[in-house]
Amino acid sequence: MKYTLKDYQAEAVDNVLTNLEKARSTYRRDGDEVAFSLTAATGAGKTVMAAASIEALFYGSDTFEFDPDPGAVVIWFSDSPALNEQSRTRLMQASEKLISGDLVTIKPPFAVPELEAGKVYFLNTQRLSKNSLLTRGYVPTADEILDHVATPDDLAWNIWETIGNTVANEDKTVYLVLDEAHRGFDTKTSGDRKTIVQRLVNGEGGQPPIPIVMGISATIDRFAQAMKEAQAGDRRQLLEQVAVHPWQVQESGLVKDTVMLDIPDEAGNFDSVLVRRAARKLQESTDRWHAYSAHQGLADRVEPLLVLQIPNTPDAADVGVALDTIAEELGGLPASAIRHVLGEHKPHEFGRWEIDHIEPQRVQDTPDVRVLIAKDGISTGWDCPRAEVLVSFRPANDHTHITQLLGRMVRSPLARRVPGDERLNAVDCILPFFDRTTAGKVVRYMTGQIAEMPGGTGRKVLLDPRELVPNPHVPESVWKKWDSLPTLSVPVKGARPVKRLVSLAQALSSDQLRPGALAEATSLLHGVMNAFVAEYPDRVEQERKEVWDVHGQTLMGTTGRTGVSYRQFTERADARALRGAFEDAKRAFGADVAQSYVDHLAGPDDEDADDDGLTAAYVTASALAYIPELRAKIDAVSERVAKDWFAEYDGAIRELNDDRQSLYFEIWTLATVPQPGRLRRPRTRLEDWKVVDANEQVAMAALVGRHLMSDADGLFPISSLGGWEYSVVKAELERDDCIGWYRNPPRAAVDALGVTYRDAFGNWRSLFPDFLFFHEIEGEVKASIVDPHGHHLDDALVKLKGLAEFARDHGHHFHRIDAVASGSTGPALRALDLKNPTIQNAILDGPGKVVDFYDGEFSIEYNPGAAG
């Protein structure tokens, strides 16, 4: 893969490949068709995950320990040729091995007996309809007739016959990818499409069903329901779905953290005023992104886009006025900088403007387009990360379309979070015709409080956003203390020390921080391997013999006798068996180290090189992979060297641009245990000066001072805080020695203090304590963590254990680490002093309920004014 998969993406791909292996075995062994789904929220990178899965299916994968299927044929089916073309492009961009010739768009003329193994074929509804040239034959052009191209009746196979022949071939396995699969059997979907998908999945008449179906959908549980509605479950096994949850996508930084909603405060016709505001926001966003791109030295700067969403039956004159307003605010705008993606693919007139059509998938890569006019089309499957501003003329009761459209606009332009700058991690949505009540519904939907988006997203949705900067009233001594505080990163599942060292060496060499680092690292590990060979020659020779020997059993039965006898046999390994053994070495030591060690043993590659010597080198490298003691030593050396190099180049890495620092952070997390790092200072922050109450009514936020990020007056809004959170902030600010505080962001970011813990399944996760408070005690600034967290939640105990473990290992950096909640006997808040070793041990060793700790002898009345 050209991209480094995010942790959740790698886990999802691993699960997809497990399902594909099960599906292939089930179909080959029992003849049963199989289906499962990959579901993930918008922006999760579903196509990237699909690319990794297909690449492994065709070519195998050392990373996922997956063997290729030499007979694999993939059919990618969606509802739109444009979506197919976008998916094809993304697959090619993401994969190192899938080239253009492997990704075939099926269109007339296309007449082959079978589809080829090792290729992805793209089909859509129109290509399989009864009137399609692929199903009824191909009509040649006049030039083709002159060249004696076959007439439709002369075509030997239509597309259904081609698919059927491929399925019938026992040497091939056909995999169907249904993109946005939940639409396939939707009762609102056209009958033609519904019939086509059912025919692909179930077969019909002489048409065999496709053996393995993988649905790719943004909506959890829809695919299983779709299979049920298609009556596909009678003989088709449904495997466990592979699900990526919204919080995982949000933590990754692939989608924006904040949605800012602008709506009128009062009734009236404010559309022109708010359109002007949208144009101003576009210009501000453009200036900001250009400045960031220049500062970071980015080769391709971000060119923000304004999306103008119009009603289904727009007034062309009103749209023209809106375009006039935008052009006036921007100081001029040529018609060529405006395009539309409306259903009619022809120029449209809006007032004095004549606007040309553009294919939706081309918008992202056409930076000259600054304004895009759309209806519904933009919300149905394509994404445009540079879309930074939306102004919608949709009516106020059309909040569903707004939320769907916002889901398409929240991708981060750089596919990563901009460190410490919430403004560049936000999208603007301006709604001239919305009222406060409907806006409240949008807020609740986008933040996961309404059932359509279960699990929450961690995204902020702001009605009256204000940009905050470092508080001028907070002393620099507070920030210096901030700089010394630790934060923990979640280790990557399945990470290996050797891979971490090799990745670090490649990065250091690429950035000219340590030229030749990769050669240095591999040479060091070769030395460890050579030393082991020299010290334990008998052990190595024993493992070499095991590599050469292929063991088996012969089963013998004799007529007239009961029972079976067994006879062991040993054969010498052939080239294929040796390749399999070397795959184990690549998994143990990493492909770079394993292959370079073979080259090291074999010597220079020249015409006089000894083939036997090269084979012996492969056997030795493979043999070493089967020695646990050596693997442990290699891991230990890799851990030590990586740790030393990170420490040595910490300062230099911090001087690199954000993109390179992000890469080093990813390498840092390629560890088997959580890694401590240092917080980075926030640059900007967005907070809401208005809040939505339980009745979906909007009110002004209460403001307080001393927050590390503030407006020009040193103020920060707190009305959005929950009951316990509000009480904690109020109590802490009443302390005379409190000189600063910080509302910790609830997501993985460079300016968020993270604490790791293991969830109920043993997976590493992050929690983000609610508050940091800074106090000046006897002339010294000290930091405290205070985390009010409900003990009724399912994950309360594992999170409390994680915080207690953090306090045990890193508590010396903090004055207090308090977990705060009420007990079962009343509303009064009580605190657990997690720096107390006795309390730490009780929490870490005890299996009890969290509420018992607050009710028992370990808790004290929460009274921060009494703390010293």
Side-chain angles (χ1 to χ4, degrees):
M1 290 291 290
K2 296 175 184 175
Y3 302 146
T4 299
L5 297 178
K6 301 292 185 182
D7 193 19
Y8 74 84
Q9 292 175 330
E11 183 176 352
V13 170
D14 194 18
N15 292 333
V16 166
L17 293 176
T18 298
N19 275 359
L20 289 176
E21 196 165 38
K22 288 180 182 176
R24 181 173 60 194
S25 298
T26 298
Y27 177 68
R28 288 297 179 190
R29 182 185 65 244
D30 305 326
D32 291 343
E33 290 84 28
V34 183
F36 69 95
S37 66
L38 168 62
T39 57
T42 298
K46 292 186 286 293
T47 311
V48 171
M49 291 183 272
S53 302
I54 293 171
E55 185 179 278
L57 187 65
F58 288 169
Y59 302 101
S61 170
D62 295 333
T63 301
F64 298 106
E65 300 184 8
F66 185 84
D67 294 327
D69 179 355
V73 178
V74 175
I75 297 175
W76 187 290
F77 182 87
S78 83
D79 198 32
S80 161
L83 291 182
N84 272 352
E85 187 57 34
Q86 178 176 278
S87 298
R88 181 180 183 276
T89 300
R90 285 184 177 173
L91 289 177
M92 199 156 38
Q93 290 172 340
S95 173
E96 288 180 318
K97 299 179 179 179
L98 297 176
I99 60 175
S100 179
D102 298 329
L103 307 171
V104 181
T105 300
I106 295 181
K107 57 185 178 181
F110 186 89
V112 296
E114 293 181 16
L115 303 177
E116 292 183 48
K119 294 186 184 295
V120 182
Y121 292 90
F122 292 88
L123 273 170
N124 57 275
T125 306
Q126 296 87 336
R127 297 295 188 198
L128 291 179
S129 68
K130 59 186 178 182
N131 295 320
S132 167
L133 298 177
L134 289 172
T135 58
R136 64 182 177 85
Y138 173 64
V139 179
T141 64
D143 291 338
E144 290 171 332
I145 291 174
L146 293 177
D147 291 335
H148 305 290
V149 172
T151 61
D153 290 341
D154 292 331
L155 292 180
W157 309 275
N158 67 31
I159 188 60
W160 287 111
E161 291 169 333
T162 298
I163 294 173
N165 292 339
T166 310
V167 172
N169 187 331
E170 293 184 355
D171 294 329
K172 295 180 179 179
T173 307
V174 181
Y175 301 80
L176 175 65
V177 176
L178 288 178
D179 194 3
E180 293 295 338
H182 62 276
R183 297 184 59 194
F185 308 111
D186 194 328
T187 56
K188 297 179 182 178
T189 304
S190 69
D192 195 24
R193 185 185 196 279
K194 184 175 178 180
T195 301
I196 288 169
V197 177
Q198 286 181 332
R199 184 175 180 183
L200 285 169
V201 173
N202 293 341
E204 181 181 290
Q207 182 74 28
I210 290 183
I212 299 168
V213 177
M214 181 175 79
I216 299 180
S217 174
T219 310
I220 295 173
D221 294 334
R222 290 279 183 89
F223 182 70
Q225 181 64 27
M227 290 289 113
K228 182 178 179 181
E229 291 175 2
Q231 292 89 41
D234 294 342
R235 52 180 301 203
R236 186 177 292 272
Q237 290 190 28
L238 297 181
L239 299 181
E240 184 176 354
Q241 69 176 3
V242 179
V244 173
H245 297 285
W247 66 264
Q248 293 176 298
V249 184
Q250 197 66 46
E251 280 196 354
S252 72
L254 288 176
V255 296
K256 294 180 178 178
D257 297 320
T258 304
V259 176
M260 300 188 292
L261 300 181
D262 276 6
I263 55 178
D265 279 326
E266 54 190 275
N269 187 359
F270 298 102
D271 49 311
S272 62
V273 174
L274 293 183
V275 167
R276 187 176 301 278
R277 180 175 174 83
R280 189 163 61 249
K281 284 181 175 289
L282 176 66
Q283 188 60 55
E284 291 170 355
S285 177
T286 301
D287 294 342
R288 195 171 194 124
W289 273 113
H290 285 185
Y292 179 79
S293 300
H295 179 264
Q296 296 289 310
L298 300 181
D300 298 317
R301 68 183 187 182
V302 177
E303 295 290 352
L305 176 77
L306 186 155
V307 177
L308 184 65
Q309 190 185 35
I310 62 178
N312 286 334
T313 54
D315 185 313
D318 287 346
V319 178
V321 171
L323 295 178
D324 290 340
T325 304
I326 293 170
E328 180 183 347
E329 184 63 33
L330 295 179
L333 191 69
S336 60
I338 308 172
R339 289 287 187 271
H340 75 80
V341 288
L342 307 181
E344 304 83 2
H345 298 183
K346 61 182 182 180
H348 277 253
E349 291 188 1
F350 301 105
R352 67 180 180 88
W353 300 85
E354 183 173 320
I355 306 302
D356 290 332
H357 176 267
I358 186 173
E359 295 174 333
Q361 68 272 18
R362 290 185 53 232
V363 176
Q364 173 65 20
D365 298 322
T366 313
D368 292 341
V369 176
R370 304 293 312 284
V371 178
L372 186 69
I373 300 172
K375 292 182 182 178
D376 294 339
I378 195 173
S379 67
T380 55
W382 66 279
D383 306 292
C384 187
R386 67 185 185 93
E388 294 276 301
V389 183
L390 163 72
V391 58
S392 177
F393 288 116
R394 286 283 180 181
N397 61 356
D398 206 1
H399 63 274
T400 300
H401 282 295
I402 297 295
T403 49
Q404 288 176 343
L405 177 54
L406 281 173
R408 291 290 157 196
M409 295 183 63
V410 295
R411 285 183 183 268
S412 298
L414 302 178
R416 61 171 171 82
R417 183 175 285 112
V418 177
D421 191 334
E422 284 201 353
R423 188 61 190 84
L424 288 181
N425 297 321
V427 61
D428 284 283
C429 180
I430 299 176
L431 310 174
F433 301 131
F434 270 52
D435 57 29
R436 291 285 166 179
T437 299
T438 309
K441 291 179 181 178
V442 174
V443 170
R444 294 183 63 214
Y445 181 94
M446 292 300 296
T447 53
Q449 300 174 54
I450 294 179
E452 283 91 331
M453 191 174 287
T457 64
R459 183 181 295 123
K460 292 196 297 188
V461 181
L462 310 180
L463 293 174
D464 187 6
R466 306 287 177 91
E467 185 174 333
L468 311 183
V469 296
N471 191 336
H473 304 293
V474 171
E476 177 62 19
S477 57
V478 169
W479 286 110
K480 288 183 178 179
K481 182 62 181 178
W482 166 281
D483 294 337
S484 70
L485 298 180
T487 180
L488 296 182
S489 61
V490 172
V492 174
K493 188 175 182 180
R496 296 188 178 98
V498 173
K499 180 179 179 181
R500 187 176 188 232
L501 175 60
V502 168
S503 298
L504 176 60
Q506 290 171 331
L508 291 173
S509 180
S510 176
D511 290 320
Q512 294 297 304
L513 298 182
R514 194 180 184 102
L518 181 58
E520 184 181 351
T522 54
S523 177
L524 178 65
L525 297 181
H526 295 166
V528 174
M529 299 162 86
N530 286 339
F532 190 93
V533 172
E535 187 173 358
Y536 304 102
D538 294 341
R539 177 70 185 279
V540 174
E541 186 56 36
Q542 178 185 344
E543 295 299 337
R544 281 175 50 85
K545 186 176 184 301
E546 285 297 314
V547 172
W548 275 116
D549 291 345
V550 177
H551 301 285
Q553 286 184 336
T554 300
L555 280 69
M556 295 181 296
T558 303
T559 303
R561 293 184 182 180
T562 60
V564 177
S565 61
Y566 300 87
R567 178 179 296 172
Q568 304 291 332
F569 69 84
T570 301
E571 294 285 347
R572 187 170 177 82
D574 59 10
R576 182 174 181 179
L578 293 181
R579 284 197 300 271
F582 187 63
E583 290 299 315
D584 292 335
K586 289 162 66 176
R587 283 190 277 266
F589 303 128
D592 291 284
V593 174
Q595 186 60 59
S596 62
Y597 188 62
V598 169
D599 298 339
H600 162 71
L601 292 177
D605 184 15
D606 55 45
E607 294 181 359
D608 298 326
D610 184 358
D611 287 344
D612 291 339
L614 182 61
T615 300
Y618 275 107
V619 172
T620 298
S622 303
L624 295 180
Y626 297 133
I627 303 176
E629 299 90 334
L630 175 59
R631 293 175 62 167
K633 190 170 183 63
I634 290 288
D635 285 349
V637 171
S638 299
E639 286 275 16
R640 176 180 58 78
V641 174
K643 182 178 180 181
D644 291 345
W645 284 2
F646 268 118
E648 182 176 352
Y649 296 101
D650 178 66
I653 290 171
R654 289 173 181 266
E655 295 298 319
L656 299 173
N657 67 26
D658 290 343
D659 190 49
R660 295 303 294 175
Q661 288 194 54
S662 176
L663 172 64
Y664 281 98
F665 179 75
E666 289 180 358
I667 297 171
W668 177 256
T669 62
L670 287 174
T672 54
V673 295
Q675 297 295 302
R678 284 188 293 174
L679 284 171
R680 288 168 60 181
R681 299 186 185 188
R683 299 169 184 169
T684 67
R685 182 157 175 167
L686 294 170
E687 292 293 339
D688 209 340
W689 252 239
K690 292 178 181 174
V691 292
V692 179
D693 62 23
N695 298 318
E696 297 175 353
Q697 298 302 304
V698 178
M700 292 299 297
L703 306 175
V704 300
R706 286 177 278 177
H707 192 273
L708 270 59
M709 304 296 289
S710 73
D711 68 359
D713 297 323
L715 298 176
F716 183 90
I718 61 170
S719 294
S720 61
L721 300 181
W724 289 357
E725 297 167 343
Y726 184 88
S727 298
V728 164
V729 170
K730 184 174 182 296
E732 293 285 346
L733 292 183
E734 288 177 354
R735 285 184 55 152
D736 294 336
D737 57 8
C738 181
I739 57 175
W741 69 287
Y742 186 71
R743 179 71 160 96
N744 200 34
R747 61 183 178 276
V750 298
D751 55 349
L753 189 149
V755 174
T756 55
Y757 69 97
R758 287 190 183 273
D759 65 17
F761 302 100
N763 299 314
W764 285 108
R765 296 276 300 274
S766 282
L767 70 93
F768 302 94
D770 285 332
F771 301 112
L772 289 170
F773 292 96
F774 297 85
H775 308 93
E776 188 170 9
I777 300 172
E778 297 180 353
E780 181 183 356
V781 176
K782 297 185 177 183
S784 295
I785 292 175
V786 182
D787 186 38
H789 193 78
H791 46 64
H792 61 286
L793 301 173
D794 292 340
D795 60 359
L797 181 59
V798 290
K799 285 186 174 180
L800 185 61
K801 286 179 180 288
L803 196 56
E805 190 169 6
F806 180 84
R808 182 194 65 194
D809 298 338
H810 305 282
H812 58 282
H813 290 281
F814 300 91
H815 179 54
R816 290 184 291 135
I817 299 180
D818 290 345
V820 177
S822 64
S824 62
T825 58
L829 290 179
R830 301 190 66 78
L832 299 174
D833 175 11
L834 298 184
K835 288 193 63 178
N836 185 320
T838 302
I839 298 177
Q840 289 173 9
N841 293 334
I843 292 171
L844 292 173
D845 298 337
K849 297 179 180 178
V850 173
V851 68
D852 294 339
F853 292 110
Y854 290 99
D855 286 341
E857 59 180 323
F858 294 120
S859 71
I860 59 175
E861 180 185 355
Y862 174 63
N863 183 13

